[in-house]
Amino acid sequence: MKKLILSKTLLFIFILVFINLFISGFGSENTLIGVTVITAMLMLLERDLTISPIKNMLKFIFINVLLGILAFLSVQNIFLGILCNFLAIFIVGYIFSYDLRSPLYVAFGLQYLFMVSTPVTIDQLPMRMIALISGAVIIIVAQLIVNKNKLEKSSNKLLSSISNDILKKVELIKNNDFNLTNIDSKIDTSIKTLKKILYDNRKEDFFITPKGVSILNILFNFERISILLNNYKNNNDLVNEDSLDKMYIELKKLNLYISENSIENPISYDNLDCINLYEFYDSIESIYDSFQDYRQNEIKMNLEDKLDVPKEFKKLSVYKRNFNTNSARFTYAFKVGLGIAIAGFIKDFFHLSEGRWIMFTVFALIQPYSEMCITKSKKRIVGTIVGCFIVFILFSIFKEKSIRGIIIILAGYTSSYTKDYRDLMICNTISAIGAICAFGPPQIFILNRFLFVILGVFIALIINKLILPYDAKNGYKSLINMYKEVISEMSLEIQLCVKDQSNLHKVKNLVLISTLIEDKIISMQDLVKDSNHSNLLRDKKIMMSNMYSLYLKLKSTKDKYDVESVITNPENAITLEKAKDMIIDNINSSNDKDNKIVYKNLLYILENNENTKSYA
């Protein structure tokens, strides 16, 4: 608790100092620009943008300048304002919302609304542009300070943690303790965290760096071992004490290697009594090989880095693909743009001095999924009422400017601890009303705040209900279809691999994307409440693991296997059961570990192909 309070306090002080320095450099008319710059900076630190710092800085400069120009034009004419407000917020909503990652539109959308709320004259416009350009530069400088070598720093810690947790998982199974929920959650969280960093660390949003490739292979094999251990948990006939002892010994050796870079005995495949052990030893061996590559100071780039980025991975193609009314990205951007255009028109037409509160409410409440809009609307109304009541009581008691200032600062500080949107609104309401009535009675501003929030809620709910409605079920279905497409693309790459025509970087991107889809599906459970999602994710996750394992084996072996009928059309094999029998015979009769693993992967894919296709 002490660490939390200390970190929150230091961060709050840093924010206050930054805003005051920003005001000193760019003038009080750009105060709110400083607020949004620090907001965007802190929000973006969750992502590593240092792989292409110049490119990202130019992108942010372009966006900021564009928003600055549109904000300036919007206040020149009420009807021009409708167009500019719609375009600005549509662009922000469309560019900075993502199918699989958390959105970034809040900071940039608020920046535009703040500029509209605090317009500048033509003489002040150059300084505002300089402030906006400087804000983009500050964001990237912060990235270079905090996130430089983030992949390496994070991987060293997390890979060691994953290895230790998998060792603990073996210990639990050995002790017949099959309550693995907590340890599995910890392993999955660590793996997903590193995969997200890898996803952000791609060159041209596609090519994975050599160190990134090594880390991804390590993560894949750790995940593979964790899945194998679940076989021991879920199948009593597979629970073999001797096998678990062997796993435990090898994992302890691996832990020592990770922490001290020392290895005792080479891995031996002698006297292995089940296919799971073959896969386990193969994964351990791959982890050692990948760690050796990872620890090299210089690694030559793969030949695939010279390839062009596939069309479907290019930003322009992604934007075109989502530019339709079936896309959550498009529907959200259109609705929030329309809502701000309407709110801005009402503010300007009736000359409402605090009409920006309508715009802020609309921007906050219109969400990609309609359920989120309804939930946030209720919490915003409750939070506003409570906040107004607190302001009325406190400002009726304390009339001194200094004490009211302290109340406003405390409200801002307290907001950093809030987790529920209702509580955040209570703090924001106190700050918003307090800031404009520090010298006078708060009653009129309290009434305005309440009425404008109610009007904003009404606009948001009407637009959310009538204009391009898009609920969580649509988003959930889109994610399932996306996962099916990823599996289909992986199938295609396996077939191309047999012909030596596959794209290794595309395959690795598909692996990363599948993890992001899984994470997004899990995050939507409170909205969708699909009781089958755990089985769905488990089946698809194991399917992807087997397909990627199969791909890597086909990539590294000279032997070619007839995988096309199994991967794409198992019903076209002589018979399904005959194909399975043939694969099982090959597993039992082969003395080559790679053959055993390839056929094991094929068997799983064959058995689960129809199940995977059946999910809606």
Side-chain angles (χ1 to χ4, degrees), residues 473-507:
K473 289 184 178 179
N474 288 329
Y476 188 77
K477 184 177 180 180
S478 176
L479 287 171
I480 301 303
N481 289 334
M482 193 183 302
Y483 211 147
K484 290 169 68 175
E485 290 174 9
V486 167
I487 290 175
S488 178
E489 287 295 315
M490 183 68 86
S491 300
L492 177 61
E493 289 301 317
I494 290 173
Q495 296 168 58
L496 292 173
C497 182
V498 176
K499 304 173 185 177
D500 294 322
Q501 298 175 356
S502 67
N503 185 328
L504 180 60
H505 278 279
K506 180 179 177 181
V507 169

Short mmCIF file of all heavy atoms in Angstrom, two decimals, residues 473-507:
data_model
loop_
_atom_site.label_atom_id
_atom_site.label_comp_id
_atom_site.label_asym_id
_atom_site.label_seq_id
_atom_site.Cartn_x
_atom_site.Cartn_y
_atom_site.Cartn_z
N LYS A 473 -22.19 -8.68 -29.00
CA LYS A 473 -22.34 -9.96 -29.70
C LYS A 473 -21.78 -9.89 -31.11
O LYS A 473 -21.17 -10.84 -31.60
CB LYS A 473 -23.82 -10.37 -29.73
CG LYS A 473 -24.36 -10.81 -28.37
CD LYS A 473 -25.80 -11.29 -28.48
CE LYS A 473 -26.30 -11.76 -27.12
NZ LYS A 473 -27.72 -12.21 -27.17
N ASN A 474 -22.00 -8.75 -31.78
CA ASN A 474 -21.42 -8.56 -33.11
C ASN A 474 -19.89 -8.56 -33.04
O ASN A 474 -19.21 -9.16 -33.88
CB ASN A 474 -21.90 -7.24 -33.72
CG ASN A 474 -23.36 -7.28 -34.12
OD1 ASN A 474 -23.87 -8.33 -34.49
ND2 ASN A 474 -24.03 -6.16 -34.03
N GLY A 475 -19.36 -7.85 -32.04
CA GLY A 475 -17.91 -7.81 -31.88
C GLY A 475 -17.33 -9.17 -31.56
O GLY A 475 -16.28 -9.55 -32.06
N TYR A 476 -18.04 -9.93 -30.71
CA TYR A 476 -17.60 -11.28 -30.33
C TYR A 476 -17.60 -12.20 -31.55
O TYR A 476 -16.63 -12.95 -31.77
CB TYR A 476 -18.54 -11.81 -29.26
CG TYR A 476 -18.11 -13.11 -28.61
CD1 TYR A 476 -17.11 -13.13 -27.66
CD2 TYR A 476 -18.74 -14.30 -28.94
CE1 TYR A 476 -16.73 -14.31 -27.05
CE2 TYR A 476 -18.37 -15.49 -28.34
CZ TYR A 476 -17.36 -15.49 -27.39
OH TYR A 476 -16.99 -16.67 -26.80
N LYS A 477 -18.65 -12.12 -32.32
CA LYS A 477 -18.74 -12.95 -33.53
C LYS A 477 -17.62 -12.59 -34.51
O LYS A 477 -17.03 -13.46 -35.15
CB LYS A 477 -20.11 -12.76 -34.20
CG LYS A 477 -20.33 -13.64 -35.41
CD LYS A 477 -21.74 -13.46 -35.97
CE LYS A 477 -21.96 -14.36 -37.19
NZ LYS A 477 -23.33 -14.18 -37.75
N SER A 478 -17.33 -11.30 -34.60
CA SER A 478 -16.25 -10.85 -35.49
C SER A 478 -14.90 -11.42 -35.04
O SER A 478 -14.08 -11.82 -35.88
CB SER A 478 -16.20 -9.31 -35.50
OG SER A 478 -15.11 -8.85 -36.26
N LEU A 479 -14.68 -11.48 -33.73
CA LEU A 479 -13.43 -12.04 -33.21
C LEU A 479 -13.32 -13.53 -33.51
O LEU A 479 -12.25 -14.02 -33.88
CB LEU A 479 -13.34 -11.80 -31.71
CG LEU A 479 -13.07 -10.37 -31.26
CD1 LEU A 479 -13.23 -10.26 -29.75
CD2 LEU A 479 -11.67 -9.93 -31.67
N ILE A 480 -14.44 -14.26 -33.36
CA ILE A 480 -14.42 -15.69 -33.66
C ILE A 480 -14.11 -15.92 -35.13
O ILE A 480 -13.31 -16.78 -35.50
CB ILE A 480 -15.77 -16.35 -33.29
CG1 ILE A 480 -16.06 -16.17 -31.81
CG2 ILE A 480 -15.75 -17.83 -33.66
CD1 ILE A 480 -15.01 -16.70 -30.88
N ASN A 481 -14.74 -15.11 -36.00
CA ASN A 481 -14.46 -15.22 -37.44
C ASN A 481 -13.01 -14.87 -37.75
O ASN A 481 -12.38 -15.49 -38.61
CB ASN A 481 -15.40 -14.31 -38.22
CG ASN A 481 -16.84 -14.81 -38.22
OD1 ASN A 481 -17.09 -16.01 -38.07
ND2 ASN A 481 -17.79 -13.90 -38.37
N MET A 482 -12.49 -13.89 -37.02
CA MET A 482 -11.10 -13.51 -37.22
C MET A 482 -10.16 -14.65 -36.84
O MET A 482 -9.18 -14.93 -37.52
CB MET A 482 -10.78 -12.27 -36.38
CG MET A 482 -9.46 -11.59 -36.73
SD MET A 482 -9.10 -10.19 -35.64
CE MET A 482 -10.55 -9.16 -35.92
N TYR A 483 -10.50 -15.34 -35.74
CA TYR A 483 -9.68 -16.48 -35.31
C TYR A 483 -9.74 -17.60 -36.35
O TYR A 483 -8.73 -18.26 -36.66
CB TYR A 483 -10.17 -16.99 -33.95
CG TYR A 483 -9.07 -17.57 -33.08
CD1 TYR A 483 -9.11 -17.46 -31.71
CD2 TYR A 483 -7.99 -18.26 -33.65
CE1 TYR A 483 -8.10 -17.99 -30.91
CE2 TYR A 483 -6.98 -18.79 -32.86
CZ TYR A 483 -7.05 -18.66 -31.49
OH TYR A 483 -6.05 -19.18 -30.71
N LYS A 484 -10.93 -17.83 -36.90
CA LYS A 484 -11.07 -18.85 -37.94
C LYS A 484 -10.23 -18.49 -39.17
O LYS A 484 -9.62 -19.36 -39.79
CB LYS A 484 -12.55 -18.99 -38.33
CG LYS A 484 -13.40 -19.63 -37.23
CD LYS A 484 -14.88 -19.52 -37.50
CE LYS A 484 -15.32 -20.34 -38.67
NZ LYS A 484 -16.80 -20.30 -38.84
N GLU A 485 -10.18 -17.19 -39.50
CA GLU A 485 -9.36 -16.76 -40.63
C GLU A 485 -7.88 -16.97 -40.34
O GLU A 485 -7.11 -17.34 -41.24
CB GLU A 485 -9.64 -15.28 -40.93
CG GLU A 485 -11.01 -15.01 -41.52
CD GLU A 485 -11.30 -13.52 -41.67
OE1 GLU A 485 -10.36 -12.73 -41.46
OE2 GLU A 485 -12.45 -13.18 -41.98
N VAL A 486 -7.47 -16.71 -39.08
CA VAL A 486 -6.07 -16.93 -38.71
C VAL A 486 -5.69 -18.40 -38.86
O VAL A 486 -4.63 -18.73 -39.40
CB VAL A 486 -5.83 -16.45 -37.25
CG1 VAL A 486 -4.47 -16.95 -36.75
CG2 VAL A 486 -5.89 -14.94 -37.18
N ILE A 487 -6.58 -19.28 -38.40
CA ILE A 487 -6.33 -20.72 -38.54
C ILE A 487 -6.28 -21.13 -40.00
O ILE A 487 -5.45 -21.93 -40.43
CB ILE A 487 -7.40 -21.52 -37.76
CG1 ILE A 487 -7.19 -21.33 -36.26
CG2 ILE A 487 -7.34 -23.00 -38.12
CD1 ILE A 487 -8.25 -21.98 -35.40
N SER A 488 -7.18 -20.54 -40.79
CA SER A 488 -7.20 -20.83 -42.23
C SER A 488 -5.91 -20.37 -42.90
O SER A 488 -5.33 -21.08 -43.74
CB SER A 488 -8.40 -20.14 -42.88
OG SER A 488 -8.42 -20.34 -44.27
N GLU A 489 -5.42 -19.18 -42.53
CA GLU A 489 -4.18 -18.67 -43.08
C GLU A 489 -2.98 -19.53 -42.64
O GLU A 489 -2.06 -19.76 -43.41
CB GLU A 489 -3.95 -17.22 -42.64
CG GLU A 489 -4.85 -16.20 -43.32
CD GLU A 489 -4.59 -16.12 -44.82
OE1 GLU A 489 -3.42 -16.08 -45.22
OE2 GLU A 489 -5.57 -16.13 -45.58
N MET A 490 -3.03 -20.01 -41.39
CA MET A 490 -1.97 -20.89 -40.92
C MET A 490 -1.97 -22.21 -41.71
O MET A 490 -0.91 -22.75 -42.06
CB MET A 490 -2.15 -21.17 -39.43
CG MET A 490 -1.04 -22.02 -38.82
SD MET A 490 0.56 -21.19 -38.75
CE MET A 490 0.40 -20.32 -37.20
N SER A 491 -3.16 -22.72 -42.01
CA SER A 491 -3.28 -23.93 -42.81
C SER A 491 -2.64 -23.74 -44.18
O SER A 491 -1.92 -24.60 -44.69
CB SER A 491 -4.75 -24.32 -42.98
OG SER A 491 -5.36 -24.56 -41.75
N LEU A 492 -2.92 -22.58 -44.77
CA LEU A 492 -2.36 -22.27 -46.08
C LEU A 492 -0.84 -22.21 -46.03
O LEU A 492 -0.15 -22.73 -46.92
CB LEU A 492 -2.93 -20.94 -46.58
CG LEU A 492 -2.40 -20.43 -47.93
CD1 LEU A 492 -2.72 -21.43 -49.03
CD2 LEU A 492 -2.99 -19.07 -48.26
N GLU A 493 -0.30 -21.59 -44.98
CA GLU A 493 1.16 -21.48 -44.86
C GLU A 493 1.81 -22.85 -44.66
O GLU A 493 2.93 -23.08 -45.12
CB GLU A 493 1.53 -20.55 -43.71
CG GLU A 493 1.23 -19.08 -43.97
CD GLU A 493 1.96 -18.55 -45.19
OE1 GLU A 493 3.15 -18.87 -45.36
OE2 GLU A 493 1.32 -17.83 -45.99
N ILE A 494 1.12 -23.76 -43.97
CA ILE A 494 1.66 -25.11 -43.81
C ILE A 494 1.75 -25.81 -45.16
O ILE A 494 2.75 -26.47 -45.48
CB ILE A 494 0.78 -25.92 -42.83
CG1 ILE A 494 0.96 -25.37 -41.41
CG2 ILE A 494 1.15 -27.40 -42.87
CD1 ILE A 494 0.02 -25.99 -40.39
N GLN A 495 0.70 -25.64 -45.96
CA GLN A 495 0.72 -26.24 -47.30
C GLN A 495 1.82 -25.62 -48.17
O GLN A 495 2.51 -26.33 -48.91
CB GLN A 495 -0.64 -26.04 -47.96
CG GLN A 495 -1.78 -26.77 -47.23
CD GLN A 495 -3.13 -26.32 -47.72
OE1 GLN A 495 -3.43 -26.43 -48.91
NE2 GLN A 495 -3.95 -25.81 -46.83
N LEU A 496 2.00 -24.31 -48.05
CA LEU A 496 3.05 -23.65 -48.81
C LEU A 496 4.43 -24.05 -48.32
O LEU A 496 5.39 -24.09 -49.09
CB LEU A 496 2.90 -22.13 -48.72
CG LEU A 496 1.68 -21.53 -49.42
CD1 LEU A 496 1.55 -20.04 -49.10
CD2 LEU A 496 1.77 -21.74 -50.92
N CYS A 497 4.52 -24.36 -47.02
CA CYS A 497 5.80 -24.77 -46.45
C CYS A 497 6.29 -26.07 -47.09
O CYS A 497 7.49 -26.24 -47.32
CB CYS A 497 5.66 -24.95 -44.94
SG CYS A 497 7.18 -25.39 -44.10
N VAL A 498 5.37 -26.99 -47.36
CA VAL A 498 5.74 -28.25 -48.01
C VAL A 498 6.36 -27.97 -49.38
O VAL A 498 7.24 -28.69 -49.84
CB VAL A 498 4.50 -29.16 -48.15
CG1 VAL A 498 4.85 -30.43 -48.91
CG2 VAL A 498 3.95 -29.50 -46.78
N LYS A 499 5.91 -26.87 -50.00
CA LYS A 499 6.43 -26.49 -51.33
C LYS A 499 7.55 -25.47 -51.24
O LYS A 499 7.96 -24.90 -52.26
CB LYS A 499 5.29 -25.91 -52.17
CG LYS A 499 4.10 -26.85 -52.31
CD LYS A 499 2.93 -26.15 -53.00
CE LYS A 499 1.69 -27.04 -53.03
NZ LYS A 499 0.53 -26.34 -53.63
N ASP A 500 8.03 -25.21 -50.01
CA ASP A 500 9.10 -24.22 -49.78
C ASP A 500 8.71 -22.83 -50.26
O ASP A 500 9.52 -22.08 -50.80
CB ASP A 500 10.41 -24.65 -50.46
CG ASP A 500 10.99 -25.90 -49.84
OD1 ASP A 500 10.91 -26.04 -48.60
OD2 ASP A 500 11.52 -26.75 -50.58
N GLN A 501 7.45 -22.46 -50.08
CA GLN A 501 6.97 -21.16 -50.54
C GLN A 501 6.34 -20.32 -49.42
O GLN A 501 5.71 -19.31 -49.68
CB GLN A 501 5.92 -21.36 -51.66
CG GLN A 501 6.48 -22.05 -52.90
CD GLN A 501 5.40 -22.35 -53.92
OE1 GLN A 501 4.21 -22.10 -53.69
NE2 GLN A 501 5.81 -22.88 -55.07
N SER A 502 6.51 -20.74 -48.18
CA SER A 502 5.83 -20.07 -47.08
C SER A 502 6.59 -18.82 -46.63
O SER A 502 7.75 -18.62 -46.96
CB SER A 502 5.67 -21.02 -45.89
OG SER A 502 6.95 -21.33 -45.35
N ASN A 503 5.90 -17.99 -45.84
CA ASN A 503 6.47 -16.75 -45.30
C ASN A 503 6.54 -16.91 -43.78
O ASN A 503 5.54 -16.84 -43.09
CB ASN A 503 5.59 -15.56 -45.69
CG ASN A 503 6.20 -14.23 -45.26
OD1 ASN A 503 6.89 -14.13 -44.25
ND2 ASN A 503 5.94 -13.19 -46.05
N LEU A 504 7.76 -17.12 -43.26
CA LEU A 504 7.94 -17.37 -41.83
C LEU A 504 7.45 -16.19 -40.99
O LEU A 504 6.86 -16.38 -39.93
CB LEU A 504 9.41 -17.66 -41.54
CG LEU A 504 9.78 -17.94 -40.09
CD1 LEU A 504 9.02 -19.15 -39.56
CD2 LEU A 504 11.27 -18.14 -39.94
N HIS A 505 7.69 -14.97 -41.45
CA HIS A 505 7.25 -13.80 -40.69
C HIS A 505 5.73 -13.71 -40.61
O HIS A 505 5.18 -13.31 -39.58
CB HIS A 505 7.81 -12.51 -41.32
CG HIS A 505 9.22 -12.23 -40.92
ND1 HIS A 505 9.55 -11.63 -39.73
CD2 HIS A 505 10.39 -12.50 -41.55
CE1 HIS A 505 10.87 -11.52 -39.64
NE2 HIS A 505 11.39 -12.03 -40.73
N LYS A 506 5.06 -14.12 -41.68
CA LYS A 506 3.60 -14.12 -41.65
C LYS A 506 3.10 -15.12 -40.62
O LYS A 506 2.17 -14.83 -39.85
CB LYS A 506 3.04 -14.46 -43.03
CG LYS A 506 1.52 -14.48 -43.07
CD LYS A 506 1.00 -14.79 -44.46
CE LYS A 506 -0.53 -14.87 -44.46
NZ LYS A 506 -1.07 -15.19 -45.81
N VAL A 507 3.72 -16.29 -40.58
CA VAL A 507 3.32 -17.32 -39.62
C VAL A 507 3.50 -16.81 -38.19
O VAL A 507 2.62 -16.98 -37.34
CB VAL A 507 4.15 -18.60 -39.84
CG1 VAL A 507 3.94 -19.58 -38.69
CG2 VAL A 507 3.78 -19.25 -41.16
#
